[in-house]
Amino acid sequence: MKVDVSTRESRREFYLSKSWRQLRLEAMSRDHFECVWCRDEGKVTTDNLEVDHIKELEYYPEFALDIDNLRTLCKECHNKDRKSTRLNSSH
């Protein structure tokens, strides 16, 4: 399902939608409510969790509600991911 994310307002509406909120909980549950990157490093982080779109929502709206495109990250890891994406982005 492709979602309109062409504007800041449409992205805000998406993140407030019932569909997103339900899928976000499913992704967090699948990932045992812990950061998957920290877990891969042998750490357990269950605070300040966010659900990340692996393929960025802005560029791949067709994957907006695809649970296989989601992962649970702590805020620190999510910020690292966004920073590296901006540095390596060719968009």
Side-chain angles (χ1 to χ4, degrees), residues 60-89:
Y60 301 96
E62 64 271 23
F63 296 111
L65 294 172
D66 180 350
I67 197 164
D68 294 328
N69 186 48
L70 302 176
R71 62 185 166 203
T72 304
L73 298 177
C74 65
K75 188 167 193 67
E76 183 178 339
C77 287
H78 197 197
N79 288 340
K80 283 187 230 173
D81 178 55
R82 285 189 291 196
K83 183 177 179 183
S84 70
T85 300
R86 283 193 304 269
L87 292 175
N88 297 322
S89 179

Side-chain angles (χ1 to χ4, degrees), residues 28-89:
M28 291 176 80
S29 178
R30 176 202 62 201
D31 296 337
H32 307 288
F33 294 92
E34 64 181 313
C35 175
V36 296
W37 283 3
C38 288
R39 183 176 60 213
D40 289 348
E41 294 177 3
K43 299 186 287 184
V44 176
T45 304
T46 58
D47 294 330
N48 299 314
L49 298 177
E50 302 178 348
V51 175
D52 175 47
H53 284 93
I54 298 166
K55 291 185 179 193
E56 290 182 68
L57 179 66
E58 184 178 356
Y59 302 113
Y60 301 96
E62 64 271 23
F63 296 111
L65 294 172
D66 180 350
I67 197 164
D68 294 328
N69 186 48
L70 302 176
R71 62 185 166 203
T72 304
L73 298 177
C74 65
K75 188 167 193 67
E76 183 178 339
C77 287
H78 197 197
N79 288 340
K80 283 187 230 173
D81 178 55
R82 285 189 291 196
K83 183 177 179 183
S84 70
T85 300
R86 283 193 304 269
L87 292 175
N88 297 322
S89 179

